[in-house]
C-alpha cells in the first residue's frame, strides 16, 4: 500500500477519479506497465451485443467520466477484471475483442472461464481504459 501512495496509483479495486474510473490493476505490455481502469459497474455495460458490434458499440459511446479513449477490452483485460474486480460485473459472459483461430473470446464472470464463442452470440461489453502512467 505504501508504494501505491507514493506513486499516486490507488490500491486495486479502488476509485481513481483522475483516470476516470475504478483501478483494476496493471499489465506489462511490450515491457511497459499499463494501468487499467473500468468506468464503474454494470450501469456502464452495453448488453445484448453480437461480436460484430463489440468495438463499434464502445467507440460510438459518449465520453465517460471525462475521457473519450475507452475501448473494448481484450481477453487479458477481462481476466484482470475477473481476478481483481469481479464484483463490479454481472455474473454473465462479457465479450473481449480478442480472437483465437477465428473464434472470438468471451469471459464468464460467474466462474472466470474464458471460452471461444460464436460470433452471433450476444453478450455484455464494458468499456476499459489502458494507459501508461
Amino acid at each position: 500500500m505504501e508504494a501505491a501512495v507514493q506513486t499516486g496509483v490507488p490500491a486495486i479495486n479502488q476509485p481513481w477519479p483522475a483516470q476516470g474510473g475504478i483501478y483494476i490493476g496493471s499489465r506489462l505490455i511490450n515491457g511497459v506497465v499499463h494501468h487499467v481502469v473500468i468506468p464503474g459497474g454494470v450501469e456502464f455495460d452495453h448488453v445484448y451485443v453480437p461480436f460484430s458490434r463489440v468495438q463499434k458499440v464502445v467507440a460510438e459511446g459518449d465520453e465517460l467520466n471525462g475521457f473519450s479513449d475507452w475501448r473494448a477490452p481484450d481477453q487479458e483485460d477481462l481476466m484482470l477484471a475477473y481476478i481483481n474486480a469481479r464484483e463490479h460485473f454481472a455474473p454473465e459472459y462479457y465479450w473481449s475483442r480478442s480472437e483465437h483461430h477465428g473464434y472470438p473470446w468471451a469471459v464468464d464472470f460467474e466462474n472466470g472461464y474464458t471460452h471461444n464463442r460464436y460470433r452471433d452470440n450476444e453478450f455484455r461489453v464494458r468499456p476499459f481504459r489502458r494507459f501508461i502512467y
Side-chain angles (χ1 to χ4, degrees), residues 11-123:
I12 289 175
N13 207 8
Q14 295 301 307
W16 196 353
Q19 294 298 335
I22 298 168
Y23 180 56
I24 64 167
S26 62
R27 294 181 46 203
L28 191 62
I29 302 170
N30 297 324
V32 179
V33 174
H34 289 76
H35 295 285
V36 183
V37 298
I38 56 173
V42 294
E43 68 273 15
F44 291 97
D45 288 351
H46 300 278
V47 295
Y48 306 118
V49 178
F51 185 74
S52 63
R53 299 256 324 131
V54 166
Q55 294 194 65
K56 292 177 187 173
V57 75
V58 174
E60 292 169 352
D62 295 329
E63 182 178 283
L64 293 175
N65 301 339
F67 291 89
S68 60
D69 60 345
W70 299 93
R71 59 175 181 69
D74 61 22
Q75 179 192 2
E76 292 84 1
D77 289 334
L78 285 174
M79 292 307 299
L80 184 69
Y82 180 79
I83 292 165
N84 291 334
R86 67 179 154 257
E87 63 272 17
H88 298 289
F89 291 79
E92 299 178 26
Y93 281 101
Y94 282 79
W95 277 127
S96 77
R97 58 189 169 95
S98 302
E99 296 184 57
H100 182 67
H101 296 297
Y103 288 94
W105 285 102
V107 174
D108 182 351
F109 272 77
E110 184 171 359
N111 57 33
Y113 295 141
T114 300
H115 300 276
N116 55 353
R117 292 295 181 197
Y118 294 108
R119 294 175 181 279
D120 59 348
N121 288 359
E122 294 183 343
F123 300 135

